[in-house]
Amino acid sequence: MEQLWLPTTRKECDRLGWDQLDVILFSGDAYVDHPSFGTAVIGRVLEAHGLRVAIVPQPNWQDDLRDFKKLGRPTLFFGVTAGTMDSMVNKYTAGKRLRSEDAYTPDGRHSGRPEYPSIVYTQALKKLFPDVPVVLGGIEASMRRLTHYDYWQDSVRRSILADSGADWLIYGMGEKPIVAIADAIRDGHPEEIYTQPQIGFICREVPGGIRPDDICLHPHEMCVKDRYAQAENFKLIEEESNKIKAARLIQPSGQDFVVINPPYEPMTTEELDAVYDLPYTRLPHPRYNGKRIPAYEMIRHSVTIHRGCFGGCAFCTISAHQGKQITSRSRESILKEVEAITRMEDFKGYVSDLGGPSANMYGLGGRDKSLCLKCKRPTCLHPKVCPNLDTNLQPLTELYRAAAKVPGVKKICIGSGIRYDILLHHSDDEGTNRSHREYTRQLIANHVSGRLKVAPEHTSESVLSIMRKPSFHQFEEFKREFDETNRRCGLNQQLIPYFISSHPGCTEQDMAELAVITKRLNFHLEQIQDFTPTPMTLSTEIFSTGINPYTMKPVYTARTPREKLAQRQFFFWYEPAQRKAIISELRRIGRPDLIQKLFG
């Protein structure tokens, strides 16, 4: 019998004639065999490498650990991931309340995973199989690989390697390092793993000793006591994370050292194509028949066309995890996936997204690659677009046209976020400027599913500068273009902006002015959030330390529930129930002049 999915039970392994597995992956997410789910990707990559791989999704950690024992001992290693999101971000809101549902668990249940699965799963496996290596991966492990601030415990925590007891940690996108680890163990040379790129580990003695080109970070214990030490560490970590040729990072922690080897260079187009061309079923495992997995519902008919993001937003973990260098898939690989979607039984003709971390970064990068090799800027767009950045969007426009012509496709929609600062950038090359205008027109006229989501995030120039986001004037310029294109095309589409309250640097006065400005633009805001500090982002470090690591100057941040609520209420100025409290707050902060502008 053909096995379409990777096995998840002993019975499925027996059906394949496998008496022992090479790698067993434990995941905090449900198993969806789709290239948007990291566990499926890693499983398929290892399978293509000739290994016998199984996945144990959302194991029960509260009984006798039978889920951790049921597939036995692998010949190579256990892999552990919390899932597609940091488990605490996935579980709790910025107000530390349970989210309405867990998007990666069948029927949205909250009982599918523990807090910090990376730690809980690893400790369970080490208890049962102490001599079998455990490899940590995924965004929870990646963003917690060194000393980090944990918002939910309001504490500075040591590396997740120390808390979990894992042997090795893979940070960033894991296809290349996971294969390197498998090869080293299979070939009988596990010691080679300690020199592999993109690997983290804990040791008593640093392999090869501390070299002149290593970067030695402040010890964990110092970071707990000294916020300036933690801020200095963060700046070094972020800069090295964004280099193509980075240094090895070493941080003392207790009697040990946490060692983070430099990353691999970005994948090539051919390597990325090979990952996405693997035989995914694009469906949840049959064990979930009849159950809804919310995250899958959102991406089932979507296609990832590139990796990486050079936006460098201060609050975003995506670019911190994937890196700022863009690797784009070939048009042939993308169109092959679009064709596969058209053969799905539930496909009605609408592709929900051709995107990535930012929808319109496909094919973009530095003109002179030698300059990129020297660069350590965390963003290519802020405070202004890098003069070395090629922003020609003609290949992306042509890709949209080609995908729209695939038989069975009625419409290609773009669901990922659009960087309008790229569209509005004026290049020295007129052909590039022409490609910006043509892309913008085609996007608005043909690829919006009624509502286009963009992320100005704020209206205050000082807050936007801390966020590493463009001026709000650019959003207003893009809105004028959006409205005019809709008028010319006879369309009635909406622009849906995202905004954040309580971000470091944001005051109540900034939020009051945001309310006035968005009212003038006729927005009743829907896509809003209170800032949630997530490990290893610039915004979180400012929230935690109270200082900007790049200037070492203090930054005001709303921290108490009262301060956060005072800011958040300005999003809802149009609700009658909020009017009295907002008027009172405007008087308290000395801005009664805004009362007439909001409620006159």
Side-chain angles (χ1 to χ4, degrees), residues 557-576:
T557 303
R559 295 183 63 93
T560 69
R562 193 255 168 234
E563 290 172 328
K564 287 173 169 286
L565 179 61
Q567 292 202 18
R568 185 178 175 83
Q569 68 183 347
F570 284 105
F571 284 139
F572 308 106
W573 62 267
Y574 53 86
E575 293 185 358

Side-chain angles (χ1 to χ4, degrees), residues 303-344:
V303 180
T304 300
I305 62 175
H306 76 270
R307 278 191 188 168
C309 178
F310 49 73
C313 297
F315 48 81
C316 183
T317 58
I318 296 177
S319 59
H321 184 64
Q322 294 194 12
K324 74 173 184 177
Q325 303 299 325
I326 304 297
T327 299
S328 300
R329 295 170 61 188
S330 68
R331 185 193 299 192
E332 293 72 26
S333 176
I334 294 166
L335 295 182
K336 185 193 300 182
E337 188 170 348
V338 172
E339 290 167 0
I341 290 174
T342 66
R343 295 192 293 271
M344 296 177 69

Side-chain angles (χ1 to χ4, degrees), residues 255-382:
Q255 296 181 317
D256 299 317
F257 295 94
V258 179
V259 179
I260 306 296
N261 290 341
Y264 279 95
E265 291 191 19
M267 295 177 80
T268 64
T269 292
E270 293 72 24
E271 288 172 332
L272 194 58
D273 282 354
V275 169
Y276 282 89
D277 290 346
L278 294 171
Y280 306 96
T281 64
R282 299 187 64 87
L283 297 168
H285 190 276
R287 64 194 286 156
Y288 308 119
N289 280 349
K291 296 181 180 179
R292 179 182 66 95
I293 300 175
Y296 173 68
E297 299 299 317
M298 292 186 286
I299 55 83
R300 64 197 308 162
H301 299 143
S302 69
V303 180
T304 300
I305 62 175
H306 76 270
R307 278 191 188 168
C309 178
F310 49 73
C313 297
F315 48 81
C316 183
T317 58
I318 296 177
S319 59
H321 184 64
Q322 294 194 12
K324 74 173 184 177
Q325 303 299 325
I326 304 297
T327 299
S328 300
R329 295 170 61 188
S330 68
R331 185 193 299 192
E332 293 72 26
S333 176
I334 294 166
L335 295 182
K336 185 193 300 182
E337 188 170 348
V338 172
E339 290 167 0
I341 290 174
T342 66
R343 295 192 293 271
M344 296 177 69
E345 291 183 4
D346 62 344
F347 183 66
K348 306 299 183 186
Y350 296 89
V351 175
S352 60
D353 193 19
L354 292 186
S358 291
N360 55 327
M361 290 186 183
Y362 176 84
L364 306 189
R367 294 186 183 90
D368 184 344
K369 302 301 182 186
S370 66
L371 295 179
C372 296
L373 286 173
K374 303 173 186 175
C375 181
K376 62 180 182 180
R377 282 178 58 183
T379 166
C380 304
L381 299 179
H382 188 270

